[in-house]
Amino acid sequence: MTTAFDPIDLAGARLANRIAMAPMTRSRAEAERRIPTRLTAEYYAQRASAGLIITEGVQPTAVGQGYPNTPGLHSAEQITAWREVTDAVHARGGTIFAQLMHAGRISHPEVLGDGLHPVGPSAVTPAGQLFAGPGMKDFIAPRELTGDEVRETIEGFAAAARNAVEAGFDGVEIHGANGYLVHQFLATNTNHRTDEWGGPVENRIRFAVEVVRAVADAIGPERTGLRISPANRYNDIAETDTDEVYPALVAAIDPIGIAYLHVTEPVAEVRDLTLALRKRFSGTFVLNPATEGPTGPEALGLIEDGTADILAYGALFLANPDLPARLRADGPYNTPDTATFFGGDHRGYTDYPAL
């Protein structure tokens, strides 16, 4: 019987186990240059016993930033700073992918600076507010991307992927989930376009497919992953045809031969769709399962029964740098401190004790 502690081949790379560190925004990058710090390197190196580390969301372009103090991969300084992180992880035998996250409309001019304005597939204002540094701000209407700008954005993902490889990453994960730009193209309430990028399902999946193809062409499909979250309402997303969109998307990207598909379940009711996507996708299947609280040891059975090839752990990995060892020993577990999730110093970041 296969267990979460068995090694696995990921598109030619051998992972020590089937436990992944899920991407988690921590907002601890150096503010002006949007670069990771030495504390960031320590944070990820502490967690190098994961079979696969997927970093926090990294903006592929300046206008892709969604939150204060998040890092980028679009400047020479950022590449150099990330190299310190990847070297630290590799020194401890880890494998690390950078998550490329373009926030799209989930941003604000006070976050972006430099006169930039949030963009999206259509000029639809999200409901709610976001933290913009000095305080909470109402969302504003994004500027609708022109056809040429859509193509430029796709190339921005590819350029960031090349930068990631230069920075020493083993690959990248394209963030197509949680209401950010790729997801905004997929959903009917955020994509009102009437050109080749909107309307019927085959048009609304086009942006995601073209981003995947461009990144795979730039760095190789074996270094490319995609994260999706079917039926996720986060960031004011409303999907009207989830059961049509995601099978079509997976069918379109499968021939590209990417390393993995990462599915995040917002609710347990989507499990049937998860299983259907699992059957459609021929590569490695990573799952962040729907759970009542943080994903815990009870989820390990999803590897044993074949639901997933790799399990992604979020908050529990945040608080337990040696999580694979703790899962194997059946605990004990440190409790995540929610007050230190975003921003701050080493507290709640690199000071969680190992066994």
Side-chain angles (χ1 to χ4, degrees):
M1 177 182 65
T2 301
T3 76
F5 308 106
D6 294 329
I8 184 172
D9 180 272
L10 180 67
R14 189 167 179 81
L15 306 184
N17 56 60
R18 296 162 184 254
I19 299 164
M21 177 179 172
M24 291 172 282
T25 295
R26 303 306 307 274
S27 292
R28 280 173 167 83
E30 195 249 66
E32 293 301 318
R33 294 177 292 170
R34 277 81 164 176
I35 62 172
T37 66
R38 290 186 176 180
L39 207 59
T40 310
E42 181 181 353
Y43 167 71
Y44 284 116
Q46 287 176 344
R47 289 154 180 80
S49 64
L52 173 65
I53 292 173
I54 308 165
T55 71
E56 62 211 274
V58 180
Q59 53 261 16
T61 61
V63 77
Q65 183 172 3
Y67 305 105
N69 301 340
T70 57
L73 259 172
H74 52 83
S75 76
E77 285 183 301
Q78 291 163 353
I79 294 169
T80 299
W82 276 115
R83 170 62 76 171
E84 187 170 342
V85 176
T86 60
D87 283 350
V89 171
H90 291 150
R92 298 196 188 182
T95 299
I96 183 168
F97 274 44
Q99 187 192 67
L100 300 182
M101 170 182 149
H102 192 307
R105 70 178 190 154
I106 304 302
S107 188
H108 194 276
E110 291 194 17
V111 173
L112 296 171
D114 297 327
L116 296 174
H117 191 93
V119 298
S122 301
V124 181
T125 307
Q129 297 181 314
L130 86 165
F131 182 72
M136 301 300 292
K137 295 287 184 180
D138 291 336
F139 282 115
I140 63 173
R143 183 177 59 77
E144 181 176 309
L145 292 163
T146 67
D148 287 343
E149 287 172 335
V150 171
R151 290 290 180 187
E152 290 170 4
T153 303
I154 293 169
E155 174 51 35
F157 274 94
R162 288 189 287 267
N163 290 344
V165 171
E166 185 178 346
F169 283 101
D170 299 293
V172 303
E173 175 180 281
I174 298 158
H175 197 345
N178 296 0
Y180 300 114
L181 185 65
V182 176
H183 199 178
Q184 292 160 26
F185 271 90
L186 296 175
T188 48
N189 78 312
T190 48
N191 185 347
H192 297 173
R193 302 176 74 98
T194 57
D195 61 4
E196 62 182 313
W197 306 102
V201 168
E202 60 267 27
N203 284 2
R204 280 183 283 118
I205 68 171
R206 191 186 309 277
F207 182 75
V209 174
E210 291 304 315
V211 169
V212 170
R213 182 174 287 116
V215 169
D217 286 346
I219 64 171
E222 74 281 0
R223 289 174 163 169
T224 305
L226 172 67
R227 191 187 205 201
I228 56 175
S229 57
N232 191 349
R233 301 184 63 85
Y234 189 64
N235 282 322
D236 195 32
I237 287 288
E239 296 177 354
T240 58
D241 49 8
T242 300
D243 290 339
E244 298 174 40
V245 167
Y246 290 94
L249 173 60
V250 173
I253 65 166
D254 193 54
I256 299 173
I258 63 174
Y260 68 81
L261 178 68
H262 182 180
V263 173
T264 299
E265 294 180 326
V267 290
E269 287 74 17
V270 301
R271 179 56 56 83
D272 286 346
L273 178 57
T274 296
L275 295 173
L277 298 179
R278 163 83 156 132
K279 290 180 180 178
R280 282 179 176 264
F281 185 68
S282 57
T284 299
F285 194 81
V286 182
L287 180 62
N288 193 181
T291 53
E292 290 187 9
T295 305
E298 70 283 347
L300 294 173
L302 295 170
I303 298 292
E304 297 166 7
D305 68 13
T307 299
D309 297 309
I310 295 174
L311 274 180
Y313 281 85
L316 204 63
F317 225 135
L318 180 154
N320 296 274
D322 53 349
L323 183 61
R326 290 176 184 265
L327 289 169
R328 186 186 284 274
D330 197 23
Y333 301 100
N334 301 320
T335 301
D337 176 13
T338 58
T340 58
F341 276 6
F342 306 107
D345 52 21
H346 69 285
R347 289 168 291 187
Y349 193 48
T350 57
D351 63 347
Y352 285 107
L355 285 175

